[in-house]
Amino acid sequence: RSITLGENRLQVYDENTVVQAVRPMKLEVELRRAVETGNEFLLQYQPKVHLDTGKLHGVEALCRWHSPALGKVAPDEFIPVAETSGLIVPLGEWVLQETCRQLVAWRRHGFTPPVTSVNLSAKQLLDSEFPERALRCVLGHGLSPSQIEFELTESSVMTDPSLSINVLNRIKALGFPLSLDDFGSGASNIGHLKSLPFDCIKIDKSVIDDLGTSNDAEIVCRAIYGLGCAMHLEMVAEGIETEAQRNQLREIGFTLGQGFYFSPALSADELAAGWLARDYRSQDAESAL
Ligand code: C2E
Ligand code: MG
Ligand code: MG
Ligand code: MG
């Protein structure tokens, strides 16, 4: 505990406050270094599945950071720091490049690459060149934009609605599918949904969590389902952890889901050995056997 006497001010710090205040700064310093060197990040892929058959529908790329100085840092901690520092722009660029590289590698190994979702932050939408750069990246790898879906949270879309709607429309016009992430997590503005060019909404884990134990959760899920159907949106239920949740979602009418009940995020090799080998072996590979 230390006491600082400034000009007419007395401030008292205890160690915890200092540790809490220093952590984001330290994180930013390490993150900046990591983004420059680029070899401390990797992507894991979480399956998106058909609720009835359990078969693979697509995957979501999720960024992992293993810092030599700080150990494993969770995305919920380093993504916000990357956003405020602007480092999300080069990091996001790396995530897209790496996703494309991986899809090509899977294809080379005889798997049909699944449609892969990449998370985008609001800061990336502020760059009006983003849609064209993303297209160049995808085409440069010999892929089509329909193979990469972008996920945006509603709060990030709402930072500057007029600007982001413009960029989103261009992303969509270039052929990338768009998904609205964390729907129902608090900032949902149903009125805006119709004016935004989304193909899919992902219902937030916090809504799914109470399914099976609370009537209210079921009412909310049924309402979202009705809304999604009326707007012709694809719907993915996120954070499914139990069979009871899956069954209730199926009963309501949902067809797609994601969650630890099916699988956590896996390394590219694990995904290939399990899910891709089972559901996504390409015709070429089969006839070659
Ligand atoms: P998100 O996009 O909503 O991703 C889903 C998160 O929920 C992932 O956490 C995933 O591991 C976790 N999850 C999935 N199913 C379950 C479940 O059944 N139970 C529980 N408890 N959790 C589940 P993760 O990987 O820690 O990522 C957290 C958030 O960080 C993501 O939420 C996304 O907003 C952000 N993020 C991750 N990678 C990137 C990236 O490359 N770029 C950007 N901009 N954001 C990213
Ligand atoms: Mg996501
Ligand atoms: Mg989400
Ligand atoms: Mg989230």
Side-chain angles (χ1 to χ4, degrees):
R1 207 175 164 98
S2 71
I3 297 177
T4 314
L5 260 178
E7 284 174 34
N8 304 323
R9 280 198 317 163
L10 173 67
Q11 274 185 306
V12 182
Y13 299 97
D14 68 28
E15 266 161 45
N16 273 341
T17 319
V18 173
V19 170
Q20 277 167 26
V22 165
R23 170 91 177 168
M25 291 187 248
K26 216 171 158 177
L27 221 93
E28 188 179 327
V29 170
E30 289 302 320
L31 197 61
R32 189 172 302 280
R33 211 186 31 69
V35 166
E36 274 159 19
T37 59
N39 46 22
E40 292 170 22
F41 301 102
L42 61 86
L43 297 183
Q44 288 190 332
Y45 302 87
Q46 187 179 29
K48 254 181 224 181
V49 305
H50 296 275
L51 294 179
D52 52 349
T53 60
K55 285 198 169 174
L56 191 67
H57 171 73
V59 298
E60 176 173 7
L62 293 160
C63 190
R64 303 290 176 248
W65 179 27
H66 196 161
S67 153
L70 302 164
K72 284 185 181 162
V73 187
D76 282 332
E77 194 180 6
F78 74 80
I79 294 290
V81 175
E83 285 171 343
T84 50
S85 61
L87 288 167
I88 194 67
V89 172
L91 180 59
E93 201 98 338
W94 178 84
V95 170
L96 181 58
Q97 287 280 356
E98 175 61 14
T99 300
C100 291
R101 192 199 60 75
Q102 188 58 60
L103 295 195
V104 172
W106 279 328
R107 195 168 59 191
R108 226 182 17 248
H109 287 96
F111 302 110
T112 305
V115 171
T116 303
S117 306
V118 168
N119 292 284
L120 286 187
S121 295
K123 272 262 166 73
Q124 294 174 269
L125 291 189
L126 295 180
D127 169 13
S128 65
E129 307 277 290
F130 176 82
E132 285 71 27
R133 264 215 321 284
L135 182 68
R136 271 202 301 279
C137 174
V138 166
L139 296 179
H141 283 87
L143 299 165
S144 124
S146 62
Q147 292 175 272
I148 303 282
E149 174 182 69
F150 290 116
E151 293 189 3
L152 288 127
T153 62
E154 194 170 43
S155 57
S156 88
V157 172
M158 288 307 143
T159 322
D160 185 348
S162 55
L163 184 68
S164 47
I165 287 170
N166 180 2
V167 178
L168 287 175
N169 281 332
R170 279 171 38 232
I171 294 174
K172 165 95 176 165
L174 294 177
F176 295 100
L178 285 175
S179 192
L180 187 61
D181 207 351
D182 300 354
F183 187 78
S185 64
S188 307
N189 183 331
I190 292 172
H192 271 109
L193 198 53
K194 251 189 91 92
S195 60
L196 295 166
F198 287 99
D199 304 285
C200 174
I201 51 178
K202 298 185 78 177
I203 296 102
D204 193 62
K205 176 175 185 303
S206 61
V207 178
I208 308 300
D209 275 345
D210 295 335
L211 264 187
T213 56
S214 136
N215 266 338
D216 290 354
E218 185 183 338
I219 290 167
V220 172
C221 285
R222 285 192 189 279
I224 293 176
Y225 179 75
L227 185 75
C229 286
M231 293 192 184
H232 306 289
L233 292 165
E234 187 175 85
M235 287 173 272
V236 175
E238 277 196 288
I240 302 173
E241 293 184 344
T242 68
E243 185 170 8
Q245 289 169 340
R246 185 200 55 178
N247 291 343
Q248 201 167 1
L249 287 162
R250 282 176 69 184
E251 203 250 312
I252 294 171
F254 289 96
T255 58
L256 296 172
Q258 191 178 340
F260 293 172
Y261 174 70
F262 300 103
S263 173
L266 303 170
S267 72
D269 289 347
E270 287 171 322
L271 190 90
W275 294 84
L276 297 184
R278 195 168 59 234
D279 302 338
Y280 272 66
R281 201 181 283 287
S282 70
Q283 299 296 332
D284 296 355
E286 261 161 42
S287 51
L289 286 177

